Amino acid sequence: MSSAKTIKVLIVDDSALVRTLLTEILQSENGIEVVGAAQDPYEAREMIKRLNPDVLTLDIEMPKMNGITFLGNLMRLRPMPVVMISTLTHAGAPATLEALELGAVDFLPKPKGESGASLTDYRATIVSKVRAAASANLSGRDSDWLEQTPVAKADGNIRANFVCAIGASTGGTEAIKDVLRVLPKQSPPILITQHIPAAFSTSFAERLDNNCEIKVFEAEDQQPVRAGCAYLAPGDKHLLLARSSYGYVCKLLDSDPVNRHKPSVEVLFDSVTEVAGKNAMGVMLTGMGADGAEAMLRMNQAGCFTTAQDEKTSVVWGMPGAVVKLGAASKVLPLNKIAREIIQQGYSK
């Protein structure tokens, strides 16, 4: 950040209306200054050199050069925090997930110009995401420390009734992928809550499944929980662990947000503690805020093994940092050590 007081933001969007709306929202906040607004990546490139912004908001669909191509060039030549402005539809999901893979910190829905509650909610969201992006740790995604080789299956058998629960938010789509893609086929069952819109969770689950040895599903209600599989919360429902006559199953709950989130990490962690007891493991990955931290403390107090991602490898050390602050982590680990810990904890000694 250029100074302790002011976050300099450059808006890149081909829509004059969007540029005006984002400028008005951000400019009205203390500690944020919109230093410019570009209508295409070519104009943006010159403005970045001249204005040296701290954060970029970047539209995906633009003429002359799309946002994905521009982002790829930017992250290679001049890495900086980028928040993508994205269409929250199934069709827009793959491009947004690709942007996160290329190094974007976060994404926002395209703003709408209505008055009232929807714009008020949008204002709070964009401000919090821009502030988080300004302090994001871009080196957390450095590839030199990432696990390159698959984790070997441990000796023995997967512990009876063992389950691992993972929570994540900002930066989590890539962190989750980095953990799951090195797990062997014979892995303990995993339940995942990532803060993600409903339109994106199906594409995210498919993307994970295509990159992993284990099977990855967008969780369905009453779906059996099996070894060698991971289950991702749909973007508009809470995911819980439940018990049936034939073992663990996923339970989906369409109830109110918890900690302003739906799905909520707290709901997942508390259900896992209640159903699996000491046979559970909790993992808190990168994310903004503190959703799930108190629930991880309850997991830890119930005798579960808990781990939080370390600050050095987290894009945003909000959620794992909150866990550490509460003393709720059995271990604090860099991202490249978490898959091994899941295998170690999940196999009978």
Side-chain angles (χ1 to χ4, degrees):
M1 212 183 296
S2 58
S3 75
K5 290 183 180 176
T6 305
I7 300 165
K8 297 195 296 182
V9 181
L10 176 64
I11 293 160
V12 188
D13 203 294
D14 65 316
S15 162
L17 179 65
V18 171
R19 292 197 302 273
T20 300
L21 193 56
L22 290 179
T23 300
E24 285 175 0
I25 288 171
L26 292 169
Q27 201 67 27
S28 67
E29 286 294 314
N30 288 332
I32 298 177
E33 180 191 359
V34 177
V35 293
Q39 62 183 342
D40 63 57
Y42 292 97
E43 189 179 4
R45 191 169 58 191
E46 298 309 311
M47 293 176 93
I48 288 168
K49 289 177 192 169
R50 193 171 76 249
L51 301 168
N52 197 29
D54 302 306
V55 177
L56 211 66
T57 72
L58 178 62
D59 189 15
I60 288 181
E61 294 171 8
M62 289 182 291
K64 298 188 182 177
M65 183 192 294
N66 70 45
I68 298 294
T69 304
F70 180 64
L71 178 68
N73 294 336
L74 183 71
M75 298 312 284
R76 193 175 69 252
L77 301 169
R78 192 193 186 284
M80 63 184 297
V82 176
V83 178
M84 303 304 292
I85 306 294
S86 160
T87 308
L88 289 193
T89 63
H90 289 288
T96 305
L97 291 167
E98 185 182 350
L100 295 172
E101 197 170 274
L102 287 169
V105 172
D106 209 341
F107 59 89
L108 276 164
K110 270 196 172 297
K112 295 183 174 67
E114 307 110 355
S115 57
S118 62
L119 198 56
T120 305
D121 290 347
Y122 187 81
R123 178 184 295 273
T125 301
I126 185 171
V127 168
S128 66
K129 292 201 174 198
V130 165
R131 289 194 193 281
S135 58
N137 171 28
L138 296 188
S139 65
R141 289 282 305 144
D142 282 352
S143 59
D144 56 351
W145 57 261
L146 283 177
E147 190 73 68
Q148 301 299 324
T149 54
V151 175
K153 180 176 83 69
D155 294 331
N157 300 307
I158 294 172
R159 279 168 55 191
N161 299 317
F162 180 86
V163 65
C164 174
I166 297 177
S169 187
T170 314
T173 55
E174 289 306 295
I176 289 165
K177 187 178 79 175
D178 289 334
V179 171
L180 298 193
R181 71 185 176 86
V182 295
L183 287 171
K185 275 184 182 175
Q186 295 83 10
S187 289
I190 297 171
L191 273 64
I192 304 163
T193 288
Q194 159 75 40
H195 298 156
I196 196 168
F200 287 11
S201 52
T202 304
S203 287
F204 180 43
E206 288 170 359
R207 202 176 186 91
L208 289 171
D209 189 53
N210 290 335
N211 278 278
C212 299
E213 287 284 307
I214 63 171
K215 292 293 298 170
V216 183
F217 301 94
E218 183 178 38
E220 296 177 20
D221 195 47
Q222 299 305 309
Q223 184 174 11
V225 171
R226 298 204 167 103
C229 300
Y231 306 86
L232 175 74
D236 57 354
K237 291 185 176 68
H238 296 300
L239 172 62
L240 296 82
L241 181 69
R243 194 184 287 279
S244 74
S245 55
Y246 50 86
Y248 292 149
V249 293
C250 296
K251 181 179 177 183
L252 299 184
L253 209 55
D254 192 5
S255 55
D256 291 339
V258 174
N259 299 328
R260 296 182 295 110
H261 293 289
K262 183 180 175 182
S264 163
V265 179
E266 180 162 318
V267 171
L268 173 62
F269 283 0
D270 277 339
S271 74
V272 165
T273 305
E274 185 183 335
V275 173
K278 293 180 181 178
N279 289 316
M281 173 183 180
V283 177
M284 187 71 89
L285 299 178
T286 173
M288 181 169 61
D291 180 33
E294 295 277 357
M296 184 166 263
L297 178 61
R298 291 188 284 274
M299 282 186 95
N300 187 268
Q301 289 168 341
C304 305
F305 184 89
T306 54
T307 186
Q309 185 177 350
D310 71 355
E311 187 171 10
K312 186 179 178 184
T313 65
S314 294
V315 174
V316 178
W317 206 54
M319 285 160 54
V323 166
V324 172
K325 204 172 288 183
L326 287 172
S330 311
K331 268 190 193 176
V332 180
L333 293 171
L335 188 59
N336 64 328
K337 296 284 194 289
I338 289 174
R340 291 179 187 280
E341 194 66 49
I342 292 170
I343 294 299
Q344 196 171 326
Q345 295 299 324
Y347 273 76
S348 47
K349 305 292 190 288

